[in-house]
């Protein structure tokens, strides 16, 4: 009882601690040189005015056009940006094409156009007042002994087992052999002012499953909320909700709250709005938005079931804040893929995600706490076997259709290419930290060889194309080297860029020569979650390019040994593939 109240106390100050680190990061970036800014994925480095294009009027502002060198950036349309040299506003991003290296900035008439070249850094943190007030509202209810008003939120903080009608607490929520779409739909409808975890490993259809559960709730007359950290994730789930609703002929009134056109869903059944009051209107029985919407006082306890997607990346504080809107909370995600990134230092594990808080180190959700979607329709059995054992406690299984995918044989050039599974390519190099020309050459050779191959996608035999191959690396400097070496349009990026995507083949370049050259810490490069995301993008074949010396890194803790062991395991697993599989 005391533990969860202590965590709640620390959650009251969570957003201030996070903002403090963001302010320090902003000031640090103002001191970084141009090369470092290009390598920092949250920035946009070395912009040069495009003198071939004249400014274009956009309402009361002007659009100014700039070009920039190849780099991986998380900046998006609509982002407010600052000049790195002065910290002053440089308007907002109106359009951005990372492939062509072109960006248009919407700049007001009183804002100075910076001299070229210059770099952009993110704006300072958004004031999280509405989130802080929601956490405080919940804490005040707890202090007053009124925890029953927010029973679902309390059940999460207390790490209670889900309460479902018709199921004894502590018993498995779904039984072996159950149709998982039906099992999830039924379990969600049985919630009694509680919460439920739905864990969806790669390719298991968590969005498809969630959409069916949501539509059934709408059909039953429930008011449903859909939330996540990003509008992209929200819109993806809403797209499936509309598809299922149309298919099942379920009518409902839905609204999506965003901040502008860049956040809009543009659906056929769900309307868009930028007005919080409109989104809160009770005429809508499906409401979608971020934590900033559901934390508002007018939303308090107005939602029957709140679905929080990508919950492994949503901090516990925000789940508490937006959870004040709901009688029941459904957490959808997978903490074994990219997890919540905490910028501040938070005591008593108050900075973890909601999934990490509830699962306490478990790789998969226990049967009495939620439902694991344990059948992947993406991973070939020879990839699934490794991912299941190394990441998901042996509980992930491939759908029978995945075995039909393979690369067709071509004995003329192998380049380590296999018909399916995992290949580990040793690349000797020294002195490399964030980029390796030696690995670039090996990846380039394999990429060229793959484009000459054909593959069976399970339905037809066709040639491999650029869109069928993902090239993944941990560092932006290596991303830039690979983009320069590979054909234009090649899908190259960091792990973060490709979560949620898939391709026939994935090429993973580790880049670092050895533990002595690690540019960050072991926990970053050898992250089990990041390796899981990288390899599990592959439907058919994953090829890992790495220096053998990287596996000899010195570790300072048991946890670090476990992390390095996962990459060692991948190499050992690749070496145990049946003989004759190289094609």
């Amino acid at each position: 009882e005391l533990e969860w109240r202590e965590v709640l106390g620390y959650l009251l100050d969570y957003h201030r601690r996070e903002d403090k680190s963001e302010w320090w990061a902003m000031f640090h970036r103002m001191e970084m040189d141009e090369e470092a800014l290009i390598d920092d994925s949250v920035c946009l480095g070395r912009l040069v005015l495009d003198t071939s294009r004249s400014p274009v009027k956009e309402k009361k502002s002007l659009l100014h056009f700039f070009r920039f060198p190849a780099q991986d950036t998380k900046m998006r349309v609509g982002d407010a940006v600052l000049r790195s040299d002065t910290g002053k506003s440089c308007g907002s991003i109106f359009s951005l094409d990372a492939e062509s290296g072109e960006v248009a900035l919407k700049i007001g008439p009183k804002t100075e156009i910076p001299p070229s070249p210059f770099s952009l850094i993110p704006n300072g943190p958004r004031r999280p007042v509405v989130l802080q007030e929601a956490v405080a509202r919940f804490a005040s209810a707890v202090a007053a002994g009124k925890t029953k008003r927010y029973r679902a939120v309390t059940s999460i903080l207390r790490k209670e087992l889900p309460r479902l009608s018709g199921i004894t607490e502590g018993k498995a929520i779904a039984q072996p052999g159950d149709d998982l779409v039906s099992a999830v739909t039924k379990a969600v409808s049985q919630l009694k002012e509680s919460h439920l975890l739905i864990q969806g490993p790669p390719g298991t259809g968590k969005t498809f499953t969630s959409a069916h559960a949501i539509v059934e709730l709408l059909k039953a007359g429930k008011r449903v909320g859909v939330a996540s950290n990003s509008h992209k994730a929200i819109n993806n789930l809403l797209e499936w909700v509309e598809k299922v609703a149309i298919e099942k002929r379920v009518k409902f009134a839905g609204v999506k709250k965003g901040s502008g056109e860049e956040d809009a869903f543009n659906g056929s059944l769900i309307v868009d709005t930028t007005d919080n009051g409109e989104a809160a209107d009770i005429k809508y029985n499906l409401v979608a938005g971020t934590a900033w919407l559901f934390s508002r006082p007018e939303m308090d306890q107005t939602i029957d079931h709140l679905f929080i997607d990508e919950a492994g990346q949503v901090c516990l504080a925000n789940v508490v804040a937006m959870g004040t809107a709901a009688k029941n909370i459904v957490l959808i995600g997978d903490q074994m893929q990219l997890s919540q990134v905490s910028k501040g230092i938070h005591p008593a594990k108050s900075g973890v995600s909601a999934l990490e808080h509830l699962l306490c180190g478990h790789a998969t959700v226990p049967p009495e706490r939620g439902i694991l979607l344990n059948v992947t329709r993406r991973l070939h059995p020879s990839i699934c076997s490794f991912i299941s054992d190394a990441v998901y406690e042996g509980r992930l299984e491939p759908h029978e259709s995945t075995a039909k995918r393979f690369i067709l044989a071509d004995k003329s050039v192998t380049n380590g290419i296999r018909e399916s599974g995992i290949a580990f390519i040793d690349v000797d190099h020294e002195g490399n930290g964030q980029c390796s020309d030696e690995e670039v050459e090996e990846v380039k050779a394999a990429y060229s060889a793959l484009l000459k191959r054909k593959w069976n996608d399970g339905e037809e035999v066709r040639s491999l194309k650029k869109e069928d191959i993902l090239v993944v690396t941990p560092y932006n400097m290596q991303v830039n080297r690979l983009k320069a070496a590979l054909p234009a349009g090649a899908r190259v990026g960091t792990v973060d860029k490709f979560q949620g995507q898939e391709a026939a083949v994935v090429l993973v370049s580790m880049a670092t020569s050895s533990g002595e050259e690690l540019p960050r810490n072991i926990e970053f490069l050898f992250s089990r979650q990041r390796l899981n995301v990288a390899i599990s993008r592959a439907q058919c074949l994953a090829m890992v390019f790495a220096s053998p010396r990287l596996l000899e890194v010195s570790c300072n803790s048991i946890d670090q040994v476990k992390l390095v062991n996962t990459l060692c395991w991948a190499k050992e697993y690749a070496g145990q593939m049946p003989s004759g599989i190289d094609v």
Side-chain angles (χ1 to χ4, degrees), residues 518 520-527 553-555 560 563-564:
L518 277 175
R520 301 191 193 179
N521 50 34
I522 285 177
E523 285 75 12
F524 174 79
L525 183 59
F526 290 91
S527 164
V553 62
S554 297
C555 300
Q560 288 186 347
L563 292 176
V564 176

Side-chain angles (χ1 to χ4, degrees), residues 488-507:
R491 300 171 68 186
V492 185
T494 60
V495 172
D496 308 70
K497 177 178 179 179
F498 292 128
Q499 182 163 12
Q501 300 185 41
E502 64 183 20
V505 182
V506 172
L507 309 180

Side-chain angles (χ1 to χ4, degrees), residues 265-300:
F265 172 56
N266 297 319
S268 58
L269 303 178
I270 300 168
V271 300
D272 288 292
T273 185
T274 57
D275 181 70
N276 286 308
E278 173 70 10
D281 197 314
I282 59 172
K283 68 183 178 183
Y284 297 111
N285 51 346
L286 183 143
V287 183
T290 64
W292 299 83
L293 169 65
F294 290 104
S295 299
R296 298 180 67 84
E298 60 265 35
M299 295 298 297
D300 196 282

Side-chain angles (χ1 to χ4, degrees), residues 19-314:
D19 285 358
K20 182 179 179 180
S21 64
E22 286 196 49
W23 285 117
W24 280 114
M26 187 187 82
F27 294 134
H28 173 66
R29 290 187 177 105
M30 290 175 63
E31 299 175 351
M32 289 166 59
D33 60 28
E34 186 178 84
E35 184 176 347
L37 290 166
I38 289 175
D39 186 49
D40 191 333
S41 63
V42 303
C43 304
L44 196 59
R46 192 174 174 75
L47 276 71
V48 177
L49 183 66
D50 187 347
T51 55
S52 67
R53 304 182 67 178
S54 301
V56 175
K57 189 173 179 61
E58 173 62 25
K59 296 182 180 178
K60 295 182 180 180
S61 301
L62 288 176
L63 299 182
H64 296 268
F65 302 92
F66 302 88
R67 302 190 66 83
F68 58 88
Q71 57 193 284
D72 205 23
T73 180
K74 294 179 182 177
M75 285 191 168
R76 296 292 181 263
V77 170
D79 287 354
V81 289
L82 307 177
R83 290 172 52 176
S84 64
D85 56 344
T86 65
K88 293 182 179 180
S89 172
C90 200
S92 62
I93 296 178
F94 184 81
S95 65
L96 189 152
D97 188 334
E99 294 297 330
S100 63
E102 298 175 322
V103 62
L105 298 180
K106 182 180 177 182
I107 301 176
K110 296 182 180 180
T111 302
E112 178 187 3
I113 308 302
S116 298
F118 67 98
S119 299
L120 299 175
I121 61 176
N123 204 351
R126 179 181 176 186
R127 292 189 64 203
V129 176
V130 67
L131 304 177
Q132 292 171 312
E133 289 179 346
V135 176
R137 190 164 66 247
F138 171 72
S140 296
V142 171
K146 299 179 180 178
T147 55
K148 288 186 178 180
R149 176 169 178 79
Y150 303 109
R151 292 189 70 189
V153 175
T154 304
S155 73
I156 290 174
L157 276 181
R158 294 182 64 176
K159 303 180 184 178
E160 296 175 354
L161 294 175
R163 293 184 297 272
L164 294 90
S165 60
I167 297 180
T168 304
E169 191 172 303
K171 297 292 184 180
I173 295 171
Q175 302 301 320
D178 281 356
D179 176 79
L180 291 178
V181 174
S182 299
V184 168
T185 300
K186 181 179 179 181
V188 167
S189 68
Q190 292 174 312
L191 279 172
K192 299 190 299 182
E193 295 184 301
S194 186
H195 70 277
L196 183 68
L197 272 64
I198 308 298
Q199 185 179 0
T204 55
K206 68 178 179 66
T207 304
F208 175 86
T209 302
S210 301
H212 277 79
I214 289 171
V215 171
E216 285 302 312
L217 289 172
L218 293 171
K219 184 179 179 181
K222 301 296 183 180
R223 194 166 194 239
V224 180
V226 174
S228 189
N229 272 350
S230 72
H231 289 281
K232 180 180 179 181
I234 295 169
N235 290 346
N236 184 46
L237 180 49
L238 293 182
E239 182 179 346
W240 276 98
V241 168
E242 284 200 343
K243 287 180 181 178
V244 175
I246 291 171
E247 177 186 317
K248 294 190 172 185
R249 298 182 180 180
V250 174
K251 295 182 179 180
F252 66 93
V255 62
K256 160 71 192 306
K257 163 65 175 61
S259 299
E261 292 181 7
E262 64 278 2
D263 301 332
F265 172 56
N266 297 319
S268 58
L269 303 178
I270 300 168
V271 300
D272 288 292
T273 185
T274 57
D275 181 70
N276 286 308
E278 173 70 10
D281 197 314
I282 59 172
K283 68 183 178 183
Y284 297 111
N285 51 346
L286 183 143
V287 183
T290 64
W292 299 83
L293 169 65
F294 290 104
S295 299
R296 298 180 67 84
E298 60 265 35
M299 295 298 297
D300 196 282
Q301 290 297 288
T302 62
I303 300 295
D304 293 314
H305 292 75
L306 177 63
F307 286 71
I308 303 178
D309 198 10
E310 303 291 2
Q313 299 180 48
V314 181

Side-chain angles (χ1 to χ4, degrees), residues 407-419 446-456 461-465 468 505 541 581-583:
I407 309 294
L408 271 65
D410 182 349
K411 297 293 184 181
S412 58
V413 182
T414 64
N415 290 95
I417 298 170
R418 297 177 167 182
E419 65 177 21
Y447 193 96
S448 298
L450 284 165
L451 290 179
K452 299 174 183 177
R453 298 294 187 90
K454 293 184 178 182
W455 80 298
N456 188 324
V461 174
R462 60 183 180 83
S463 297
L464 281 166
K465 300 178 181 179
D468 297 316
V505 182
L541 173 65
I581 201 168
D582 285 351
V583 293

Side-chain angles (χ1 to χ4, degrees), residues 14 314-317 340 342 346 349-357:
Y14 170 86
V314 181
C315 65
L316 181 61
Q340 142 81 2
S342 182
H346 303 283
K349 297 184 179 180
S350 58
V352 301
S353 72
L355 293 191
E356 290 172 307
H357 172 77

Side-chain angles (χ1 to χ4, degrees), residues 381-403:
S382 56
I383 298 177
C384 181
S385 177
F386 169 74
I387 293 295
S388 179
D389 290 343
V391 182
Y392 294 106
E393 301 173 332
R395 296 179 65 189
L396 185 63
E397 301 175 1
H399 188 268
E400 60 183 15
S401 62
T402 61

